[in-house]
Amino acid sequence: MIIVEENKCDFCGTCVAVCPVDAIELFEAQIDILHDRCIDCDLCVWICPIEVLHTVEKEMASA
Amino acid sequence: MKDEYDLIVVGGGPAGSTAAKFAAEGGASVLMLEKDRDIGMPVRCGEAVGAEGLARFIEPNDKWIASKINSFRLVSPAGLSVDIEGLSDGGYVLDRRIFDYELALMAGNAGATIMTKAYVYDLVKEGDSVKGVKIKYLNEKVEFRSKIIIAADGVESRVGRWAGLKTTIKLKDMESAIQISVGNVDCKPNRLDFYLGSEVAPGGYLWVFPKGDKYANIGLGVAGNHNKSKSARKYLDNFMEKNYPEASILTTVVGGVPCAHTLPKIAADNIMLAGDAAHMVNPVSGGGIVSGMQGGRLAGTRAAEAIRAGDYSYKFLTKYEKQWHKLLGKSYERMYKIKSAVGKLTDDDLNRTAEIISSLPQSKRTLGRVFKTALMKHPKLLFDVVRAFASV
């Protein structure tokens, strides 16, 4: 699953623009990944100019 | 404050302000919403613009012109600099903070109501039809109704998506970009510098755009499919370390530049898209200031016509799509083909081209001559590319 390092994010919306399933919500200085929609295509991870999105194993994220 | 307007414009950038101005001048009641506290901030933009295109909209004014441009420098992957001087149609590096303010002021003076810190989080819908926007303003939720919405909410446009328009962009067509505004750098005040090559900015380019004495915007865009292995930030860090280790960084901005052609469908019942939200960007240069304003003008004008006609249907608004396509959309499709061809050039190709041009004496290195020579030797492409920049 995808996680965002929110304290490093610039909230530029580049990831939102490439997401094929509208699974990223950007509110002012807050960004949410809608995990039930996300298809783990990783496009957002690849496009981020400053590498604040990452793929992690589900278990790690919940740990 | 009213809670109902003829037109709501979402986004207070150049496209939004221009749309708001033309719609208000056409007699519509207009509300323009900007999510940030200030119009024009943060500036996610290289700020370079062609003089001629801009003059159609606004009288040049030194208060928002940071520097006047009359030459280009292309730096090949091998490091060979090629200067092209005496551009007949020059350009500017803007101070967008002031420029965007000025455009919003024009909209306001034409009668548009403007609200900043107004964050649109959803649309008001009745069935499938769009009836307005829901916003958060000073921690309160407020609804505004309108007959038409113009979504000029940037590359990440969500308003368009909510209305059912497909605005997603392909990874390879999105430039992952980063820019720093820096002091203490050597830069020529009247020249735009472009660095090319797979080491510097694969699938894109790096720019040094002067904004004053020892003061410049330095940024780059990397095609999305290249950003995967190494991010834009790392490319920029490498460049700065090598070329400007003493630079003082005043601002860093990041963002995406949609280098595709314009979306085929930029209108639907009660809604039009304009600017980056509609991908109204020159796909070769990534420039979108004037083109966004052109789109805004067409959308705003059509909105006013729709209000006067009492018809907000797609059938009525589709004229906007046709006008855009005729004005710039079609040429951006050609530009997109050029971009794709340029993307296939190797570093060796670029180096060879630079050598050919630099073999011309400086006095003869006008754009026209450069192109003629380059044309004979091979890269017709270069002609198209620089022309694309000249019309940013």
Side-chain angles (χ1 to χ4, degrees):
Chain A
M1 67 187 283
I2 309 289
I3 58 158
V4 189
E5 286 182 88
E6 229 168 294
N7 52 353
K8 291 188 188 169
C9 180
D10 199 47
F11 310 101
C12 69
T14 307
C15 51
V16 177
V18 296
C19 179
V21 292
D22 293 356
I24 307 177
E25 300 220 313
L26 183 62
F27 297 99
E28 299 163 305
Q30 181 193 334
I31 184 162
D32 293 323
I33 309 284
L34 307 179
H35 293 291
D36 52 336
R37 269 197 194 190
C38 176
I39 54 170
D40 288 303
C41 68
D42 289 353
L43 297 187
C44 56
V45 177
W46 299 339
I47 200 71
C48 178
I50 50 175
E51 300 166 70
V52 305
L53 292 120
H54 306 280
T55 311
V56 294
E57 296 297 327
K58 277 207 169 85
E59 302 76 61
M60 270 178 66
S62 56
Chain B
M1 193 168 188
K2 295 198 295 182
D3 58 5
E4 196 164 344
Y5 292 81
D6 291 332
L7 170 71
I8 292 174
V9 178
V10 182
S17 284
T18 308
K21 171 182 179 271
F22 278 89
E25 284 176 352
S29 65
V30 181
L31 172 66
M32 183 170 88
L33 303 168
E34 166 56 45
K35 71 174 162 47
D36 289 314
R37 192 188 67 182
D38 267 307
I39 298 280
M41 285 277 277
V43 182
R44 296 189 199 282
C45 180
E47 304 184 284
V49 68
E52 194 185 292
L54 196 62
R56 290 187 208 116
F57 290 95
I58 185 167
E59 193 74 25
N61 190 316
D62 284 343
K63 71 181 172 188
W64 44 257
I65 294 173
S67 67
K68 291 177 183 158
I69 299 303
N70 57 26
S71 62
F72 287 166
R73 166 171 282 186
L74 305 172
V75 183
S76 75
L80 182 63
S81 292
V82 179
D83 290 353
I84 300 171
E85 291 170 349
L87 295 174
S88 55
D89 176 25
Y92 309 118
V93 179
L94 302 176
D95 190 333
R96 282 274 311 265
R97 287 177 305 176
I98 299 170
F99 177 74
D100 283 26
Y101 240 80
E102 202 65 26
L103 295 184
L105 203 54
M106 285 165 72
N109 290 345
T113 303
I114 300 173
M115 258 177 106
T116 63
K117 287 180 106 171
Y119 184 77
V120 176
Y121 69 92
D122 204 356
L123 295 176
V124 178
K125 283 189 175 182
E126 279 173 15
D128 277 343
S129 46
V130 177
K131 296 286 180 195
V133 297
K134 299 178 184 178
I135 70 160
K136 273 197 264 179
Y137 178 69
L138 305 178
N139 242 349
E140 272 183 51
K141 291 185 171 173
V142 192
E143 280 188 23
F144 288 107
R145 293 194 158 236
S146 68
K147 300 178 176 92
I148 300 174
I149 291 173
I150 293 177
D153 52 337
V155 65
E156 71 274 30
S157 176
R158 306 188 68 231
V159 172
R161 292 187 187 200
W162 293 329
L165 291 164
K166 195 79 189 140
T167 60
T168 307
I169 184 161
K170 284 187 192 134
L171 190 74
K172 72 177 170 69
D173 289 336
M174 181 67 127
E175 292 280 319
S176 182
I178 181 164
Q179 174 178 275
I180 49 183
S181 295
V182 291
N184 201 25
V185 292
D186 276 329
C187 58
K188 203 170 169 217
N190 307 111
R191 190 184 69 206
L192 301 182
D193 294 2
F194 300 91
Y195 290 75
L196 302 167
S198 60
E199 292 287 312
V200 182
Y205 63 89
L206 181 145
W207 61 86
V208 178
F209 293 168
K211 286 194 77 175
D213 186 33
K214 300 179 87 176
Y215 170 37
N217 287 337
I218 302 183
L220 58 82
V222 175
N225 47 335
H226 289 285
N227 199 64
K228 183 179 171 185
S229 43
K230 184 175 164 183
S231 70
R233 159 163 282 167
K234 286 193 175 135
Y235 282 102
L236 186 61
D237 287 348
N238 290 352
F239 178 85
M240 292 306 289
E241 214 164 283
K242 200 174 145 197
N243 296 277
Y244 298 107
E246 305 294 324
S248 52
I249 299 173
L250 309 181
T251 320
T252 305
V253 285
V254 303
V257 186
C259 291
H261 37 72
T262 311
L263 292 170
K265 193 166 158 58
I266 54 174
D269 289 342
N270 310 92
I271 188 165
M272 290 177 273
L273 306 182
D276 277 17
H279 305 173
M280 291 175 169
V281 172
N282 176 330
V284 175
S285 67
I289 300 172
V290 171
S291 53
M293 292 168 73
Q294 294 277 23
R297 173 177 66 83
L298 295 176
T301 304
R302 193 60 182 159
E305 288 166 2
I307 299 301
R308 290 201 297 272
D311 185 350
Y312 328 116
S313 67
Y314 176 58
K315 206 177 153 208
F316 193 91
L317 300 179
T318 187
K319 189 178 168 196
Y320 162 59
E321 293 180 316
K322 294 194 179 85
Q323 286 174 322
W324 167 260
H325 195 68
K326 203 173 152 201
L327 184 69
L328 280 171
K330 229 177 172 157
S331 80
Y332 285 175
E333 282 173 21
R334 281 197 301 277
M335 296 275 191
Y336 184 74
K337 286 187 187 132
I338 295 166
K339 177 200 141 173
S340 306
V342 171
K344 293 193 185 89
L345 293 180
T346 62
D347 283 358
D348 284 346
D349 293 332
L350 293 167
N351 286 330
R352 252 200 322 277
T353 307
E355 281 164 23
I356 293 166
I357 301 171
S358 67
S359 67
L360 288 168
Q362 182 58 254
S363 62
K364 293 185 176 174
R365 224 179 278 168
T366 61
L367 272 190
R369 270 183 196 269
V370 165
F371 296 140
K372 256 185 221 162
T373 314
L375 268 168
M376 275 157 46
K377 302 279 183 181
H378 132 80
K380 175 193 173 300
L381 280 176
L382 188 79
F383 175 75
D384 296 325
V385 171
V386 183
R387 192 170 53 184
F389 280 105
S391 67
V392 175

